[in-house]
Amino acid sequence: MSASSLPKTFEPSAVEDRVRRMWEEGGHFGASAAAVKGGGEPYVIVIPPPNVTSVLHMGHGLNNTIQDVLIRWQRMRGKVALWVPGTDHAGIATQNIVERQLARTGRTRHDLERRDFERLVWKHVEATGDRIIGQLKAIGCSCDWDRTRFTLDPGLSRAVREMFVRLYEDGLVYRGEYIINWCPRCLTALSNEEAEGAEAEGSLWRLRYPLAAGHDRAAHRSRAAGAQTVGTLADGRWCITVSTTRPETMLGDTGVAVHPDDPRYAPLVGTEVELPLAGRTIPIVADGHVSPDFGTGMVKVTPAHDPNDFEIAGRAGLDVVNVLTETGAMNANAPEAFRGVDRFVARRLVLDALRAEGLLAGTDPHVHAVPRCYRCDTVVEPRLSEQWFVRMQPLAEAALEGAREGAVAFSPDRWTKVYARWMEGIRDWCISRQLWWGHRIPVWYCRDCKGAMACRENPEACELCGGGALEQDPDVLDTWFSSWLWPFSVFGWPDDSPDLRAFYPGHVLSTAPEILFFWVARMIMAGYRAMGEAPFARVYLHGTVRDARGRKMSKSLGNGVDPLEVVALYGADALRFTLLAGAGVGADIRLDHEDLEATFAPGRNFVNKLWNTGRFAVMSVGDDPIPPLADVRSDLALEDRWILSRLQRAIRRVDCELDAFRMQGAAEALRDFVRGDFADWYLESVKDRLRPDGYRRAAARSVLAHVLGSSCRLLHPLVPFVTEELWTVLPRAETAEAGEGRPLVAARWPTPDPDSVDAEAEAEFGRFKELIGLVRGLRKEYGVGEGGRVVIHLVGGASGFANLRGGLLERLARISSLESTAAPPGEAGASAVLSDGTELFIPLTGVVDVAREVDRARGEIERIENLLEGIEAKLANSKFLTRAPAAVVEREREKLASCKLQLTKWKRKLTSLGGGE
RNA sequence: GGGCGCUUAGCUCAGUUGGUCCAGAGCGCCUGCCUUACAAGCAGGAGGUCGGCGGUUCGAAUCCGUCAGCGCCCA
């Protein structure tokens, strides 16, 4: 390709589609079980399946970029790298979208047959399901797209059924009454995740319950023990005080609880109170879960409408009275005055009634979390209902042990503790949902014998009585019940398939910490249960994407950054690089949605820089074949040896950073290398050598091509498009190492080459860089512009630059000539001292002000003297000498020598300027 | 109420087992350059008592304690 055809700036939109098509058509993302069977080493990631109807957001962008980096890296390292994509049917989320559409025509799902509604949802899924997959492709994800799975696929549905039935047969699935989150609008149970708590200002009401007759002595003793909230009513009856944020639920109270060790209330335990309005008598019980410090230390117990109270009731043997209907109105268990009244209206009525009876002790403002349905924003009601559960304790044991012994390692490490704590206190999992969209619970009830059975295949007749009057349970399973099988259901489980053998267990799971419990922990449990081992060895939990003010990006706040908009504006590589460079291990990442330009400049600028290094190579290397590096080894110039040595460091560092999920570190290492070492120093150094008659031209061309090619390979996992495009246009030596003719996606990862490490070259080129920096600094200081050529003198010779070829220094420092002199010339000029003591002098008659030079010299002397003072104090400290490692002491001695040398030079300089004392 | 995390340059963040990346990077800012790869660039520069206090140590941004502010999770 000719140079003129390469645009000055990288144009992602012109490149991305073409490159992506080439990757896909070349089948480079595919991985086969046969390749593993043939001896290939697998590396497997299964994608956290996005909701099938969802639109790509920045959290997806970050997480999938991370996974793609890992997969591309391992693929280039020669692994059979498999990244399995797919989507989740997302029960309630998807159902609600379709229900909203129905609502526009004034209907609810109940106006349709269940089957027709399901068909409607499928239609919606088929229309939108590809969208998120296409969006993943747009940011460069290299999944094996032929393996795209959906949690409602027949195969995965079979896995769901199999798992359910196995657990049922093992007695780990049971049906029971339990408090669950209930949406009175959606009319379904909700998982905890689906009931999002939002802080709200509410009230905490204090209610008085009269003590039942005959307990006056207990009340007296309680008062004597310090119970100030035990008092008397206007009619002389004793009463207690309880607090609540939901007064209407008091109609369902069946007890009052206190802490067993609370001395104030100990006398009252075993007594009873009259429940106002309801006309029932309820007991006072002791329970360890009551907090003596909260409120009055006495809590009303409403088992049917509060999960904690339900547990207390279970322990204390209290009755359970449900006072609400499924739509959130008071039911027949409530006194007649309240029946059929909505819960919030009932709240006012109850308060009014209590106030009228003098039983409302007071109200305090109270901020608390009010859980709302994440789909319709209705306030969720804890509700007692019959649901299906999985007994989790037996599943948790192996999963817990796995994390303890390191079979599953979390990164950042702190999540291990969070995981373990949750596992230790694990609760049973409510898996039934009163929805129509999802895996229907594979349980059938017999109308004849009233038996129930869980079946892998739809049954024809009752297993127990042979009757044919069967009815399937109407509920569907929680979405996560299919998700937790994902790492093996995608490979054909329960069949012992070749894929399953080749690709289970996987290696890394990357996801957001929010779903550590809902998904990650459950996958680990399912993995041990079904497969006997954990589904992955390492879990990476990335941070949250936030806006400039630190708020989580969300649709409702409108503070999101659309990854696809960024791709359209700046390219997928710019998006990826910016995210990676900004993402510390597990750290949150902030993006300013109001200034995309500034936010994504780091990525875009770097990608463009990389593009232009490639463009330079194309333009300057010429058409002759590039000799392999091995052929020019004996002919390398100092800068060649230097950059090859620096490349070694870069390779090692990138491997190390990626292995630890330090994306930011890898990005930084590569930016430092490509921009700092390669572009700014190496390219500038070899420009003259690339001319037809250039010095050691062959070596320069070979090294340039090698380093640029290696840079592309190292950067490919991070910025796949620009590197792939460069790879096709770059002049390269045809070597087996890079994989001749192959696209970059299938090229080999650079391997460290110990022979290229060259400490001497690094030291020498380092001195050279220091010298140039000093010259540039002095020129700037004295306003000798870029155009003005100067002469520089190295006092005491240029011994440190023996291997520097002629002309390089002159060109990079823009000097007309370099003189070696025994002593500083007598004329006016500017001075500097290198760290090895070499003195630099630039004659600048008429430009340099002697007074200014004197000031500079004095400043330097003071700076070095301060430094020296510190070093000398250290070296005079016998404890430092005896306790610090020898290498550290040695380093201090070297610093001391260097400082002393520089100090001598500066003092002499000062004297010669007439400023000495 | 219990647990966890964060606080380093104007902004966003690095800083691995304490000592050569030890005070850094990117963006922004200032100065000078359209030097035939790149102005999305190059060169030079300003800017931080590493949240406060106390401790451990020969030595602390780094380890310990404590206080303050911010955030998250569980209940």
Side-chain angles (χ1 to χ4, degrees):
Chain A
M1 192 173 288
S2 69
S4 60
S5 66
L6 294 185
K8 266 173 88 166
T9 52
F10 179 61
E11 291 166 8
S13 56
V15 170
E16 290 175 3
D17 281 339
R18 177 163 40 79
V19 167
R20 191 181 309 112
R21 216 173 311 127
M22 182 274 284
W23 287 334
E24 284 193 47
E25 284 167 6
H28 297 293
F29 302 161
S32 70
V36 174
K37 216 173 170 195
E41 195 184 336
Y43 181 84
V44 181
I45 297 178
V46 290
I47 203 169
N51 289 359
V52 66
T53 58
S54 63
V55 177
L56 195 78
H57 57 62
M58 209 40 95
H60 295 127
L62 173 64
N63 189 29
N64 290 291
T65 297
I66 290 166
Q67 292 170 74
D68 194 51
V69 169
L70 296 172
I71 277 286
R72 286 182 186 268
W73 173 50
Q74 296 291 350
R75 186 183 292 128
M76 291 176 77
R77 292 178 87 193
K79 302 273 180 69
V80 181
L82 172 60
W83 186 10
V84 182
T87 51
D88 190 290
H89 68 281
I92 191 168
T94 307
Q95 171 162 328
N96 271 294
I97 290 170
V98 177
E99 285 197 288
R100 261 204 304 273
Q101 289 173 357
L102 264 184
R104 279 189 221 126
T105 64
R107 291 179 297 172
T108 73
R109 73 175 197 261
H110 300 286
D111 295 324
L112 274 65
E113 289 295 317
R114 178 168 180 153
R115 196 168 298 170
D116 292 334
F117 180 78
E118 282 178 71
R119 219 171 275 145
L120 213 55
V121 183
W122 270 110
K123 248 175 77 184
H124 178 71
V125 164
E126 278 155 18
T128 58
D130 290 343
R131 183 178 52 192
I132 186 82
I133 296 293
Q135 291 172 335
L136 289 171
K137 290 180 181 180
I139 63 169
C141 294
S142 62
C143 302
D144 187 353
W145 302 111
D146 294 339
R147 292 179 180 270
T148 304
R149 299 284 186 266
F150 179 47
T151 50
L152 274 177
D153 282 347
L156 278 72
S157 298
R158 190 161 71 98
V160 164
R161 236 185 219 203
E162 176 70 26
M163 189 66 165
F164 183 95
V165 174
R166 279 194 196 182
L167 292 173
Y168 185 93
E169 288 170 351
D170 293 342
L172 296 180
V173 161
Y174 67 94
R175 204 175 185 215
E177 292 238 303
Y178 204 78
I179 299 281
I180 41 82
N181 296 302
W182 179 264
C183 176
R185 195 213 65 91
C186 299
L187 302 182
T188 181
L190 296 173
S191 66
N192 291 336
E193 189 209 35
E194 291 161 338
E196 291 175 340
E199 290 274 290
E201 284 187 26
S203 299
L204 188 64
W205 285 278
R206 295 194 301 277
L207 317 182
R208 290 196 182 118
Y209 290 177
L211 210 57
H215 298 303
D216 291 1
R217 285 186 62 158
H220 276 293
R221 278 191 284 134
S222 181
R223 277 293 294 216
Q228 292 170 4
T229 56
V230 172
T232 50
L233 297 168
D235 60 11
R237 284 186 298 167
W238 283 93
C239 71
I240 57 143
T241 309
V242 294
S243 302
T244 182
T245 57
R246 296 186 297 154
E248 71 280 9
T249 63
M250 60 82 58
L251 298 173
D253 284 4
T254 58
V256 167
V258 300
H259 194 276
D261 301 333
D262 191 335
R264 296 172 297 175
Y265 302 126
L268 292 172
V269 174
T271 64
E272 293 173 314
V273 294
E274 303 284 349
L275 185 63
L277 312 183
R280 282 186 277 122
T281 301
I282 58 178
I284 295 176
V285 300
D287 191 279
H289 276 68
V290 176
S291 166
D293 304 324
F294 184 77
T296 59
M298 275 192 146
V299 300
K300 60 195 267 308
V301 182
T302 321
H305 301 289
D306 183 280
N308 291 323
D309 292 4
F310 184 74
E311 287 181 14
I312 291 174
R315 286 189 289 264
L318 300 178
D319 294 337
V320 175
V321 177
N322 182 355
V323 293
L324 287 169
T325 67
E326 62 176 18
T327 58
M330 307 310 292
N331 69 10
N333 289 329
E336 202 168 340
F338 304 100
R339 278 176 208 163
V341 175
D342 177 78
R343 51 191 168 152
F344 297 116
V345 177
R347 179 172 299 176
R348 304 289 354 151
L349 295 180
V350 164
L351 287 169
D352 289 345
L354 288 173
R355 193 177 293 115
E357 293 189 25
L359 298 174
L360 185 59
T363 310
D364 299 307
H366 183 62
V367 177
H368 62 127
V370 178
R372 290 170 179 273
C373 174
Y374 84 126
R375 282 291 131 190
C376 70
D377 211 37
T378 302
V379 174
V380 162
E381 197 63 42
R383 181 166 199 262
L384 184 68
S385 64
E386 188 160 58
Q387 305 286 345
W388 286 96
F389 295 88
V390 178
R391 229 181 283 285
M392 298 305 276
Q393 174 65 37
L395 298 181
E397 280 162 17
L400 192 50
E401 190 56 27
R404 284 212 181 106
E405 63 191 20
V408 183
F410 294 88
S411 194
D413 178 52
R414 69 185 123 92
W415 292 107
T416 312
K417 257 190 293 179
V418 179
Y419 167 87
R421 201 164 296 140
W422 185 75
M423 280 289 190
E424 284 160 3
I426 198 158
R427 300 185 173 202
D428 288 354
W429 175 16
C430 173
I431 52 170
S432 44
R433 295 288 179 275
Q434 289 67 51
L435 303 174
W436 287 353
W437 175 244
H439 302 275
R440 194 149 168 190
I441 291 178
V443 170
W444 282 261
Y445 307 102
C446 176
R447 284 202 200 96
D448 301 331
C449 71
K450 307 295 175 204
M453 53 191 191
C455 307
R456 290 175 174 81
E457 304 294 335
N458 291 5
E460 300 288 323
C462 176
E463 286 172 355
L464 304 167
C465 71
L470 295 176
E471 199 171 352
Q472 186 172 5
D473 193 295
D475 289 357
V476 300
L477 289 162
D478 179 6
T479 293
W480 298 104
F481 197 91
S482 54
S483 310
W484 77 326
L485 312 177
W486 186 248
F488 44 88
S489 64
V490 296
F491 295 125
W493 186 88
D495 291 341
D496 184 18
S497 71
D499 277 347
L500 194 59
R501 286 174 176 228
F503 299 124
Y504 191 94
H507 295 79
V508 170
L509 177 85
S510 173
T511 193
E514 292 101 271
I515 53 175
L516 176 62
F517 304 145
F518 296 102
W519 190 46
V520 182
R522 288 175 183 155
M523 274 193 289
I524 296 171
M525 291 187 277
Y528 275 105
R529 185 77 188 177
M531 297 294 297
E533 59 185 317
F536 27 73
R538 304 176 72 193
V539 177
Y540 176 66
L541 296 161
H542 62 70
T544 307
V545 183
R546 302 179 176 281
D547 71 3
R549 286 196 263 164
R551 301 174 304 178
K552 216 168 171 169
M553 286 190 175
S554 75
K555 240 184 245 174
S556 52
L557 283 175
N559 61 347
V561 176
D562 177 3
L564 298 173
E565 187 186 351
V566 177
V567 169
L569 287 171
Y570 312 115
D573 292 327
L575 169 73
R576 293 167 63 116
F577 194 85
T578 302
L579 289 176
L580 295 168
V585 179
D588 289 352
I589 179 164
R590 286 185 184 219
L591 303 174
D592 187 350
H593 65 288
E594 286 172 338
D595 192 350
L596 297 183
E597 166 90 17
T599 303
F600 293 94
R604 183 195 57 171
N605 294 358
F606 178 67
V607 166
N608 193 237
K609 182 73 186 178
L610 180 65
W611 173 253
N612 275 290
T613 59
R615 205 168 142 249
F616 170 79
V618 171
M619 289 168 68
S620 55
V621 157
D623 298 328
D624 302 337
I626 309 286
L629 200 52
D631 293 1
V632 298
R633 278 276 177 203
S634 57
D635 203 32
L636 299 177
L638 173 64
E639 62 269 23
D640 298 332
R641 290 163 52 207
W642 173 77
I643 194 66
L644 289 171
S645 191
R646 301 292 297 174
L647 174 63
Q648 292 313 306
R649 290 182 194 283
I651 296 171
R652 277 164 219 257
R653 181 155 167 221
V654 170
D655 273 327
C656 171
E657 302 282 9
L658 289 182
D659 190 57
F661 303 118
R662 288 194 295 261
M663 300 294 146
Q664 190 176 47
E668 186 189 305
L670 286 163
R671 182 165 51 197
D672 286 354
F673 177 70
V674 169
R675 175 174 288 189
D677 291 342
F678 186 60
D680 291 347
W681 287 99
Y682 186 72
L683 289 188
E684 294 304 327
S685 296
V686 298
K687 273 180 175 172
D688 60 333
R689 291 171 60 194
L690 296 168
R691 296 202 191 102
D693 57 345
Y695 172 81
R696 297 192 180 187
R697 177 165 184 258
R701 294 175 71 243
S702 177
V703 172
L704 172 62
H706 175 78
V707 176
L708 193 47
S710 300
S711 301
C712 280
R713 287 189 276 159
L714 291 171
L715 272 159
H716 183 256
L718 283 73
V719 285
F721 293 103
V722 66
T723 48
E724 185 71 78
E725 180 71 357
L726 280 176
W727 189 252
T728 64
V729 300
L730 283 183
R732 285 199 306 283
E734 293 295 318
T735 62
E737 197 214 347
E740 61 261 278
R742 269 191 282 180
L744 183 54
V745 65
R748 292 245 189 88
W749 187 250
T751 44
D753 168 23
D755 291 344
S756 286
V757 176
D758 191 336
E760 197 188 316
E762 289 200 44
E764 193 164 348
F765 201 79
R767 278 194 296 275
F768 172 63
K769 286 170 65 179
E770 186 188 12
L771 173 60
I772 292 194
L774 287 172
V775 174
R776 286 171 175 168
L778 287 179
R779 297 174 70 115
K780 190 81 176 179
E781 171 136 14
Y782 287 110
V784 183
E786 311 278 317
R789 295 261 163 177
V790 295
V791 175
I792 69 167
H793 295 262
L794 287 181
V795 182
S799 60
F801 306 102
N803 289 314
L804 201 63
R805 66 189 167 84
L808 185 55
L809 180 60
E810 288 82 347
R811 206 160 53 74
L812 290 194
R814 299 189 153 261
I815 58 177
S816 53
S817 72
L818 167 68
E819 312 281 340
S820 285
T821 50
E827 56 193 305
S831 297
V833 180
L834 277 70
S835 49
D836 72 349
T838 304
E839 193 179 339
L840 166 69
F841 180 79
I842 306 180
L844 289 169
T845 314
V847 177
V848 164
D849 173 0
V850 174
R852 191 162 165 189
E853 270 305 271
V854 169
D855 276 354
R856 240 168 36 81
R858 285 197 175 130
E860 284 297 293
I861 288 167
E862 194 186 333
R863 184 182 63 85
I864 297 167
E865 276 176 345
N866 284 340
L867 217 56
L868 263 178
E869 206 177 307
I871 299 168
E872 277 168 345
K874 259 190 193 177
L875 289 172
N877 185 338
S878 63
K879 282 182 177 171
F880 173 72
L881 296 177
T882 52
R883 296 191 194 181
V888 173
V889 176
E890 183 52 32
R891 233 175 270 133
E892 290 299 316
R893 293 218 162 97
E894 282 168 16
K895 262 200 269 180
L896 182 78
S898 167
C899 284
K900 277 187 167 166
L901 201 54
Q902 292 178 55
L903 190 62
T904 311
K905 299 286 167 73
W906 275 115
K907 281 188 166 162
R908 207 172 64 195
K909 183 74 211 170
L910 188 60
T911 309
S912 77
L913 286 169
E917 35 265 49

